[in-house]
Amino acid sequence: MNFSTRIELDAALDVADYLVDEGLSTALFLAWSIRQPLLLEGEPGVGKTTAAKAMAAVLGGPFLRLQCYEGISASEALYEWNYSRQLLEIRLAETADAAIEATDLFTEDFLLGRPLLDAVRHPGPAPAVLLIDEIDRADDDFEAMLFEFLGERSVTVPELGTFEAIEPPVVVLTSNRSRELHDALKRRCLYHWIEFPDVARIAQIVRRNVAEGAEPLVDAASAFVRRARELGLDKPPGVAEAIDWVGALHALGVTNLDDAEARRTLTAVVKTPDDLRTAHAAIDTGELSVGADG
Amino acid sequence: MAGSGVLFRTVDRAVFAAALVDRLRDAGVAIGLSATNRFVECLRVGRPADVTSLYWVARTSLVSDRRDYATFDAVFDALFRDESLAVGAGRHNAARATVRSEGSLVHRSAPVDGFALMAGRASVGQAPEFLDPDPDAEDGSDDALEVPELLPSALTGRVDTPFDRLSADELALFGGWIQAHLADFPSRRGRRQRPSPSGGLIDVRRTIAEARRTAGEPVALARRRPRRRPRGVVVLADVSGSMESFTRVYLHLMRALVTHGQAEVFTFATELRRVTVALRDGDADTAIDRVSDEVADRFGGTRLGDSLGLLTASPVWSNSVRGAIVVIASDGWDAGDPLTCERNMARLARMAHRVIWVNPRVAAEEFAPLVGAMSAALPHIDVLLSGHTIRSLFAVLDAVIDS
């Protein structure tokens, strides 16, 4: 797929059931057209990961995902040597009485690609979409290791040389801001902060995800979630909670959401004891209610 | 849409980008050369046709931190539109970085000219000026604020001034300073182990798991060490009438602890109230106003002993006290029974890692812990500090950090 303007990408993402505003679509369009990595930040549940998946669906290339966690190491991100095959090769050579050199063992045949190397080696024509998810969970040294890949779009294997990207991948990094990322990493990336969507947008997104949800139910639930966020809860509910909630209500056979029904299923939206107490109190006082439109 | 779009038909993109970046850098947004290059590239492919799309292209490619969005919006709006037309996605605090509107050189309808921007930059009179001389002090991002020993010059003369004689601005400046001071939050050794190349213990399970991939031969030894977790900090602030002049500045200290670590903050006068969530607000003044709104019983009487009891007995809140550093800011005047206070203090001290009591009255020469609750609590306190001036509050911070 080829896009000459942002509007075309917008339309394609819409077909893939991912709704974007102008800021996010500009960011995705630029990430695709100049192939700079894009760093997406935002509160949990605003669709950072889904953005990358939607991009992959739209572009038609493979979707490679690297989930970061504490203690993730280079061998899980870049490449590994297939040690067992190398040993096997040596045994075979021994039984055949053939001479074997170190250079025979360190060739591309024995190289196991991990997401970053796979992204670089992907031949195209559609670019691969590489998602480096929750980069804030990884350690500092892992972040530093990414610099070569992000800056030069290449991966160096000391024994073989440097792999340059054939069709540069579209790289999306996400972060939940659980810690500050290094400036050097930010400098190499385009950056976009995804704002929490408004009621109409939440309703649209929920409707795309829970197709069977009745319209008044979706609207009421979206407005309720948006208002619940204004209570200053410890863990404010996100779009994902709204989707789950409407799914749950639908499974329970609820077609018309009222305060009593909302109370009963509140645990799908609000998930800590303190927050539950606050939310119930807000329903009592009418501050948080299904009916009134805020 | 042919060529490079309507906005940039006659403009040298590089000059335009350099001029805009120069403005942003003056306003305090850190933008490097590579980002500027990227911006020019983005202008080429993005072909912004109106101010809104220019806004998104510029923000995506130049700004790499959400906290800079407000400043960016202010500079951008001053250059390209009337301030009333701000489209910036809204919730961040545009009000804090105010740019005088007469600084706006280019009107919305006029074509953008990079050279005009450059020229405007050179003549001092036309350049946008920031009204707030120290817009960054709140975030603690000012370079001078990061070195613990240095004080912002505005504060140096005021370190020994009692709080009741400080102005609101000085208090805010102080809040920012604390945030920078708290860079190393106290930590404790966690129960879990985590992989670490320099760890002291050999991770047998992982070594063997990895050896499976290398035909059963342990090629590299995996190591691990206990992970460090931030130590819990629980602050109990007395908001009764007798503490009135200290409450606001203590709230600044607490907000710093909440935003930098995972501190829990409770206020008490006649009832115990958790205000952690309110203090977490991005803007210091909003946060503190929210707390003032939420705390209905402030500047009333004190029920210290009962509040402590409520905290240690609460199934939800008491967990935050366990193994934590507990800071109690109170003058120790309690309307309740000293025996209750003594019992609950003893329980709190057993649960907590360390109990720090901040009492502004300690500084007075004639002070003796004669007040019922204070003398009852005294045996269970690890550190008793005064905290009546900025200098003495630093001692409180040091006590928290060193724990």
Side-chain angles (χ1 to χ4, degrees), chain B residues 131-200:
Chain B
L131 294 174
D132 183 356
D134 200 353
D136 285 330
E138 220 88 85
D139 324 332
S141 61
D142 198 322
D143 286 344
L145 298 187
E146 275 164 23
V147 184
E149 271 67 39
L150 291 180
L151 282 168
S153 49
L155 270 184
T156 39
R158 315 294 280 162
V159 280
D160 290 319
T161 315
F163 295 137
D164 25 11
R165 279 180 242 149
L166 285 178
S167 70
D169 287 350
E170 283 166 330
L171 286 186
L173 195 58
F174 169 68
W177 194 90
I178 301 176
Q179 294 232 315
H181 195 82
L182 265 182
D184 35 19
F185 202 76
S187 64
R188 62 179 174 84
R189 202 187 67 170
R191 298 263 302 156
R192 295 195 179 183
Q193 312 255 331
R194 51 157 296 176
S196 160
S198 55

Side-chain angles (χ1 to χ4, degrees), chain A residues 180 187 191 193 232 234, chain B residues 38 60 66-67 69 277 280:
Chain A
E180 199 65 38
R187 218 181 54 221
Y191 175 85
W193 172 273
D234 211 352
Chain B
R38 188 168 58 216
T60 308
R66 184 171 77 116
R67 282 168 299 186
Y69 278 2
V277 182
R280 217 177 274 153

